[in-house]
Amino acid sequence: MAYEITEQKKIGLGLIGFGVFFSFLGVLLFFDRGLLALGNILWLAGVALLLGWGSTLKIFTNRSNYKGTLSFLLGLFFIFVRWPIVGIFLEIYGCIVLFGEFWPSVKVFLYQIPVFGWILQYPVMLLDRLRS
């Protein structure tokens, strides 16, 4: 790989994975507020460990990302005050705005995972063959 994954980054990836899992489970269980809050806390801690505390703070306080930061924090607030459906939609929008520039890097990283990368690339390869 082009970059090194330290133990701290591995823990960050694990926390992000658990955060996404608990959030998904909270949505499946009819927007359970406790699971959604736990998923958000784990996800935020994982992002902070993966990127570093300073980089995370820069991303959330960057002038061009204020709309995403505000919508994400407002979504977190709505989850805590028992409006989880509105909160989840605001958080999803905030994540897309905040981390939109990282999607190409995430795609390259996911394609390099041995089995999972092939599963992700297979529909693209199939469409390329059908076009030819």
Side-chain angles (χ1 to χ4, degrees), residues 32-114:
D32 181 50
R33 188 175 65 100
L35 287 173
L36 291 173
L38 181 63
N40 284 324
I41 291 169
L42 289 173
W43 185 83
L44 281 173
V47 168
L49 284 176
L50 182 67
L51 299 177
W53 297 102
S55 296
T56 304
L57 189 61
K58 284 180 187 177
I59 287 173
F60 279 95
T61 58
N62 190 359
R63 195 170 202 79
S64 63
N65 292 340
Y66 278 149
K67 190 168 34 170
T69 301
L70 182 65
S71 67
F72 183 81
L73 293 177
L74 196 61
L76 191 60
F77 172 75
F78 277 130
I79 286 176
F80 286 137
V81 296
R82 299 180 188 242
W83 285 22
I85 296 173
V86 174
I88 283 294
F89 284 121
L90 282 171
E91 283 184 356
I92 289 171
Y93 174 74
C95 285
I96 290 171
V97 171
L98 279 172
F99 300 105
E101 59 197 32
F102 292 113
W103 294 121
S105 300
V106 170
K107 184 178 85 169
V108 168
F109 174 75
L110 290 176
Y111 281 173
Q112 292 178 352
I113 297 173

Side-chain angles (χ1 to χ4, degrees), residues 5-23:
I5 296 182
T6 62
E7 293 298 318
Q8 182 176 347
K9 290 183 181 183
K10 288 179 186 177
I11 293 170
L13 282 172
L15 286 175
I16 289 172
F18 278 120
V20 169
F21 172 72
F22 281 117
S23 295

